[in-house]
Amino acid sequence: MPSKESWSGQKANRATVHNSKQESCQQDLLIAALGMKLGSQKSSVTIWQPLKLFAYSQLTSLVRRATLKENEHIPKYEKIHNFKVHTFRGPHWCEYCANFMWGLIAQGVKCADCGLNVHKQCSKMVPNDCKPDLKHVKKVYSCDLTTLVKAHFTKRPMVVDMCIREIESRGLNSEGLYRVSGFSDLIEDVKMAFDRDGEKADISVNMYEDINIITGALKLYFRDLPIPLITYDAYPKFIESAKTTDPDEQLEILHEALKLLPPAHCETLRYLMAHLKRVTLHEKENLMSAENLGIVFGPTLMRAPELDAMAALNDIRYQRLVVEMLIKNEDILF
């Protein structure tokens, strides 16, 4: 039978061991919560795997948010592929179905803008996700507008941005702005400069003192578009708005017509109309009203889809009215 003192000592020892285990357990829980493991002899700290994953996810999230902030101004325009029948040299496989492209000539089609190679039957199922490559898009003038902006990752064609900046910096008070023509050979020089150098083209006053050369180059760009700025699909709706006599109904139809434009076309039209509105604010100096600008830009921005010459001539007055209404109501429509 153990003595009272012996039993008390054993009880104290058990309590000490229990407290020690409890403290050790609490320390382990704390270490686990902090994601660290302390060495007995070294003061090095090893990051626990869950904390690693948490920190990585937070860092990834920050990087993603920063990237989104940087890219929020990069346009995401949808573009269909520009497929053309192509004869491939050597063996080729379809990039859509991954099957062999049989034949000696005209085995399939190739996108002229991004280089995608597919069977002719597969081309009908390829999504509208063409990403033009600059090695295929070698021109600025006469190039499809959406193709150009996607190839250069811009909201609008650089020709439009650069010419309008130059015009607004030194030409808003020029009499007959856009109405007076520049020397045609120099306008062709500007065109070749853009085709050759792109956004590095020099159109400053040191190169072209006459502002009418820059306005002529801008008008030529719009005339050379394979699909007009106001597209063939949207053309009838715009003409309908000009034929309507009620002002409120005109604006409603114009608003519906703008929705029919591809995003790149609509953004470019918005930017141009805002510029032309600023031109009219200097009407006392340049003598260019919204009506006068409509006469100049109507046939430049719009082309009748029909081949009937008489119908196209009859539409000229409505084309003028469309541009005039777009300029006057630019702040409401866009």
Side-chain angles (χ1 to χ4, degrees), residues 41 48 54 63 93 96 98 116 133 138 196 204 210 223 231 242 252 265-266 271 285 299 303 308 313 324 327 331:
Q41 295 180 354
W48 191 46
F54 175 74
V63 171
W93 283 261
Y96 180 77
L116 183 70
D133 193 325
K138 297 180 180 178
R196 182 182 63 249
S204 65
D210 184 5
R223 285 198 302 271
T231 60
E252 288 180 10
H265 285 245
C266 190
Y271 190 74
E285 293 81 19
R303 295 199 293 270
D308 185 0
L313 283 173
E324 184 181 343
I327 294 172
D331 55 337

Short mmCIF file of all heavy atoms in Angstrom, two decimals, residues 41 48 54 63 93 96 98 116 133 138 196 204 210 223 231 242 252 265-266 271 285 299 303 308 313 324 327 331:
data_model
loop_
_atom_site.label_atom_id
_atom_site.label_comp_id
_atom_site.label_asym_id
_atom_site.label_seq_id
_atom_site.Cartn_x
_atom_site.Cartn_y
_atom_site.Cartn_z
N GLN A 41 16.74 22.30 -33.49
CA GLN A 41 18.06 22.88 -33.39
C GLN A 41 18.25 24.04 -34.36
O GLN A 41 19.12 24.86 -34.15
CB GLN A 41 19.12 21.80 -33.67
CG GLN A 41 19.12 20.70 -32.61
CD GLN A 41 20.16 19.66 -32.89
OE1 GLN A 41 20.80 19.69 -33.93
NE2 GLN A 41 20.35 18.74 -31.97
N TRP A 48 4.22 25.48 -44.82
CA TRP A 48 3.33 24.32 -44.94
C TRP A 48 2.61 24.35 -46.27
O TRP A 48 2.28 25.41 -46.80
CB TRP A 48 2.35 24.36 -43.77
CG TRP A 48 1.54 23.11 -43.59
CD1 TRP A 48 1.96 21.84 -43.61
CD2 TRP A 48 0.13 23.08 -43.35
NE1 TRP A 48 0.94 20.99 -43.39
CE2 TRP A 48 -0.22 21.72 -43.23
CE3 TRP A 48 -0.87 24.05 -43.21
CZ2 TRP A 48 -1.52 21.31 -42.99
CZ3 TRP A 48 -2.16 23.64 -42.97
CH2 TRP A 48 -2.49 22.29 -42.86
N PHE A 54 -2.37 28.56 -50.72
CA PHE A 54 -3.18 29.75 -50.47
C PHE A 54 -2.46 31.00 -50.99
O PHE A 54 -3.04 31.84 -51.68
CB PHE A 54 -3.47 29.88 -48.98
CG PHE A 54 -4.21 31.15 -48.62
CD1 PHE A 54 -5.55 31.30 -48.90
CD2 PHE A 54 -3.53 32.20 -48.01
CE1 PHE A 54 -6.22 32.47 -48.58
CE2 PHE A 54 -4.19 33.37 -47.68
CZ PHE A 54 -5.54 33.50 -47.97
N VAL A 63 -2.24 38.80 -60.01
CA VAL A 63 -1.68 38.91 -61.35
C VAL A 63 -2.79 38.93 -62.38
O VAL A 63 -2.76 39.70 -63.35
CB VAL A 63 -0.71 37.74 -61.62
CG1 VAL A 63 -0.29 37.72 -63.09
CG2 VAL A 63 0.50 37.84 -60.72
N TRP A 93 -2.62 18.15 -92.82
CA TRP A 93 -3.75 17.67 -92.08
C TRP A 93 -4.68 18.82 -91.73
O TRP A 93 -4.22 19.95 -91.50
CB TRP A 93 -3.29 16.97 -90.78
CG TRP A 93 -2.75 15.60 -91.00
CD1 TRP A 93 -3.40 14.42 -90.83
CD2 TRP A 93 -1.43 15.26 -91.46
NE1 TRP A 93 -2.58 13.36 -91.15
CE2 TRP A 93 -1.36 13.85 -91.54
CE3 TRP A 93 -0.31 16.01 -91.83
CZ2 TRP A 93 -0.22 13.18 -91.97
CZ3 TRP A 93 0.83 15.34 -92.26
CH2 TRP A 93 0.87 13.93 -92.32
N TYR A 96 -8.94 21.39 -88.13
CA TYR A 96 -10.22 21.33 -87.41
C TYR A 96 -10.56 19.89 -87.02
O TYR A 96 -10.83 19.61 -85.86
CB TYR A 96 -11.34 21.92 -88.26
CG TYR A 96 -12.70 21.88 -87.58
CD1 TYR A 96 -13.01 22.81 -86.58
CD2 TYR A 96 -13.65 20.93 -87.91
CE1 TYR A 96 -14.23 22.78 -85.94
CE2 TYR A 96 -14.88 20.89 -87.27
CZ TYR A 96 -15.17 21.82 -86.30
OH TYR A 96 -16.39 21.79 -85.65
N ALA A 98 -8.48 17.18 -87.86
CA ALA A 98 -7.21 16.45 -87.72
C ALA A 98 -7.06 15.30 -88.70
O ALA A 98 -6.18 14.46 -88.55
CB ALA A 98 -7.02 15.94 -86.28
N LEU A 116 -5.05 29.54 -91.11
CA LEU A 116 -5.67 28.27 -90.69
C LEU A 116 -5.96 27.40 -91.91
O LEU A 116 -6.55 27.86 -92.89
CB LEU A 116 -6.97 28.56 -89.93
CG LEU A 116 -7.70 27.34 -89.36
CD1 LEU A 116 -6.92 26.74 -88.19
CD2 LEU A 116 -9.11 27.72 -88.90
N ASP A 133 -2.78 37.41 -88.42
CA ASP A 133 -1.34 37.47 -88.17
C ASP A 133 -0.74 38.51 -89.11
O ASP A 133 -1.07 38.56 -90.30
CB ASP A 133 -0.73 36.09 -88.43
CG ASP A 133 0.69 35.99 -87.91
OD1 ASP A 133 1.41 37.00 -87.96
OD2 ASP A 133 1.07 34.90 -87.44
N LYS A 138 -0.58 42.25 -94.76
CA LYS A 138 0.57 43.05 -95.15
C LYS A 138 0.21 44.44 -95.64
O LYS A 138 1.08 45.21 -96.03
CB LYS A 138 1.37 42.32 -96.22
CG LYS A 138 1.93 40.98 -95.73
CD LYS A 138 2.71 40.26 -96.80
CE LYS A 138 3.27 38.94 -96.27
NZ LYS A 138 4.00 38.18 -97.32
N ARG A 196 3.50 50.62 -95.78
CA ARG A 196 4.88 50.19 -95.56
C ARG A 196 5.28 50.23 -94.09
O ARG A 196 5.88 49.28 -93.56
CB ARG A 196 5.83 51.08 -96.37
CG ARG A 196 7.30 50.71 -96.28
CD ARG A 196 8.17 51.66 -97.07
NE ARG A 196 8.10 53.03 -96.56
CZ ARG A 196 7.53 54.04 -97.20
NH1 ARG A 196 6.96 53.85 -98.39
NH2 ARG A 196 7.51 55.26 -96.68
N SER A 204 3.54 64.11 -90.20
CA SER A 204 3.65 65.39 -89.49
C SER A 204 3.74 66.55 -90.49
O SER A 204 3.90 66.35 -91.70
CB SER A 204 4.88 65.38 -88.58
OG SER A 204 6.06 65.30 -89.36
N ASP A 210 0.56 70.69 -96.16
CA ASP A 210 -0.84 70.91 -96.53
C ASP A 210 -1.74 69.92 -95.80
O ASP A 210 -1.64 68.70 -96.03
CB ASP A 210 -1.00 70.76 -98.05
CG ASP A 210 -2.41 71.08 -98.53
OD1 ASP A 210 -3.24 71.52 -97.70
OD2 ASP A 210 -2.68 70.88 -99.73
N ARG A 223 -12.76 55.02 -98.56
CA ARG A 223 -13.23 54.63 -99.90
C ARG A 223 -12.65 53.28 -100.31
O ARG A 223 -13.28 52.53 -101.05
CB ARG A 223 -12.84 55.69 -100.93
CG ARG A 223 -13.67 56.94 -100.89
CD ARG A 223 -13.54 57.74 -102.19
NE ARG A 223 -12.17 58.12 -102.47
CZ ARG A 223 -11.61 59.24 -102.05
NH1 ARG A 223 -12.30 60.10 -101.31
NH2 ARG A 223 -10.36 59.53 -102.37
N THR A 231 -21.79 49.14 -93.30
CA THR A 231 -21.73 47.91 -94.09
C THR A 231 -22.96 47.73 -94.98
O THR A 231 -24.00 48.36 -94.80
CB THR A 231 -21.61 46.69 -93.16
OG1 THR A 231 -22.76 46.66 -92.29
CG2 THR A 231 -20.36 46.78 -92.30
N ALA A 242 -33.16 57.94 -93.05
CA ALA A 242 -33.12 59.21 -93.77
C ALA A 242 -34.43 59.50 -94.49
O ALA A 242 -34.78 60.67 -94.72
CB ALA A 242 -31.96 59.20 -94.77
N GLU A 252 -34.66 56.62 -83.54
CA GLU A 252 -34.91 55.22 -83.16
C GLU A 252 -34.39 54.27 -84.23
O GLU A 252 -33.75 53.25 -83.92
CB GLU A 252 -36.41 55.00 -82.94
CG GLU A 252 -36.96 55.64 -81.66
CD GLU A 252 -38.45 55.40 -81.49
OE1 GLU A 252 -39.00 54.57 -82.25
OE2 GLU A 252 -39.06 56.03 -80.61
N HIS A 265 -16.50 48.40 -86.70
CA HIS A 265 -17.07 49.43 -87.57
C HIS A 265 -17.81 50.48 -86.74
O HIS A 265 -17.69 51.68 -86.99
CB HIS A 265 -18.03 48.80 -88.58
CG HIS A 265 -17.35 48.05 -89.69
ND1 HIS A 265 -17.41 48.42 -91.00
CD2 HIS A 265 -16.57 46.94 -89.67
CE1 HIS A 265 -16.71 47.59 -91.75
NE2 HIS A 265 -16.19 46.67 -90.97
N CYS A 266 -18.57 50.02 -85.76
CA CYS A 266 -19.35 50.93 -84.93
C CYS A 266 -18.43 51.85 -84.11
O CYS A 266 -18.67 53.06 -84.00
CB CYS A 266 -20.27 50.14 -84.00
SG CYS A 266 -21.48 51.16 -83.13
N TYR A 271 -16.01 57.26 -83.34
CA TYR A 271 -14.83 58.13 -83.22
C TYR A 271 -14.81 59.18 -84.32
O TYR A 271 -14.49 60.36 -84.08
CB TYR A 271 -13.58 57.26 -83.28
CG TYR A 271 -12.29 57.96 -82.95
CD1 TYR A 271 -11.99 58.30 -81.64
CD2 TYR A 271 -11.37 58.27 -83.94
CE1 TYR A 271 -10.79 58.93 -81.33
CE2 TYR A 271 -10.18 58.90 -83.64
CZ TYR A 271 -9.89 59.23 -82.32
OH TYR A 271 -8.71 59.85 -82.01
N GLU A 285 -14.71 79.45 -89.05
CA GLU A 285 -13.40 79.53 -89.67
C GLU A 285 -13.29 78.59 -90.89
O GLU A 285 -12.79 78.98 -91.94
CB GLU A 285 -12.29 79.19 -88.67
CG GLU A 285 -12.11 80.20 -87.55
CD GLU A 285 -13.12 80.01 -86.44
OE1 GLU A 285 -13.72 78.90 -86.35
OE2 GLU A 285 -13.33 80.97 -85.67
N PRO A 299 -21.15 59.52 -99.56
CA PRO A 299 -20.70 58.48 -100.49
C PRO A 299 -19.40 57.81 -100.08
O PRO A 299 -19.07 56.73 -100.56
CB PRO A 299 -20.49 59.26 -101.81
CG PRO A 299 -21.21 60.55 -101.63
CD PRO A 299 -21.13 60.86 -100.16
N ARG A 303 -21.98 52.71 -99.36
CA ARG A 303 -22.10 52.30 -100.76
C ARG A 303 -23.31 51.40 -100.90
O ARG A 303 -23.49 50.46 -100.11
CB ARG A 303 -20.83 51.57 -101.23
CG ARG A 303 -19.60 52.44 -101.24
CD ARG A 303 -18.50 51.85 -102.12
NE ARG A 303 -17.96 50.60 -101.59
CZ ARG A 303 -16.94 50.54 -100.75
NH1 ARG A 303 -16.38 51.65 -100.29
NH2 ARG A 303 -16.48 49.38 -100.35
N ASP A 308 -27.36 48.51 -109.41
CA ASP A 308 -28.13 49.43 -110.23
C ASP A 308 -27.61 50.85 -110.05
O ASP A 308 -27.68 51.42 -108.95
CB ASP A 308 -29.61 49.34 -109.83
CG ASP A 308 -30.50 50.19 -110.75
OD1 ASP A 308 -29.96 50.81 -111.67
OD2 ASP A 308 -31.72 50.23 -110.51
N LEU A 313 -27.53 56.39 -107.48
CA LEU A 313 -27.59 57.85 -107.62
C LEU A 313 -28.73 58.44 -106.79
O LEU A 313 -28.58 59.49 -106.18
CB LEU A 313 -27.77 58.23 -109.10
CG LEU A 313 -26.52 58.13 -109.98
CD1 LEU A 313 -26.88 58.37 -111.44
CD2 LEU A 313 -25.46 59.14 -109.53
N GLU A 324 -25.23 63.51 -91.88
CA GLU A 324 -25.60 64.76 -91.21
C GLU A 324 -26.29 64.47 -89.88
O GLU A 324 -25.97 65.11 -88.85
CB GLU A 324 -26.51 65.58 -92.12
CG GLU A 324 -26.88 66.94 -91.56
CD GLU A 324 -27.80 67.72 -92.49
OE1 GLU A 324 -27.90 67.38 -93.68
OE2 GLU A 324 -28.45 68.69 -92.00
N ILE A 327 -23.80 63.17 -87.27
CA ILE A 327 -22.95 64.22 -86.70
C ILE A 327 -23.74 65.04 -85.67
O ILE A 327 -23.27 65.27 -84.55
CB ILE A 327 -22.42 65.14 -87.81
CG1 ILE A 327 -21.48 64.37 -88.74
CG2 ILE A 327 -21.69 66.35 -87.21
CD1 ILE A 327 -21.05 65.15 -89.97
N ASP A 331 -23.81 62.78 -79.76
CA ASP A 331 -23.81 62.59 -78.31
C ASP A 331 -24.97 61.74 -77.84
O ASP A 331 -24.93 61.17 -76.74
CB ASP A 331 -23.83 63.94 -77.61
CG ASP A 331 -25.01 64.80 -78.08
OD1 ASP A 331 -25.51 64.57 -79.19
OD2 ASP A 331 -25.41 65.72 -77.34
#
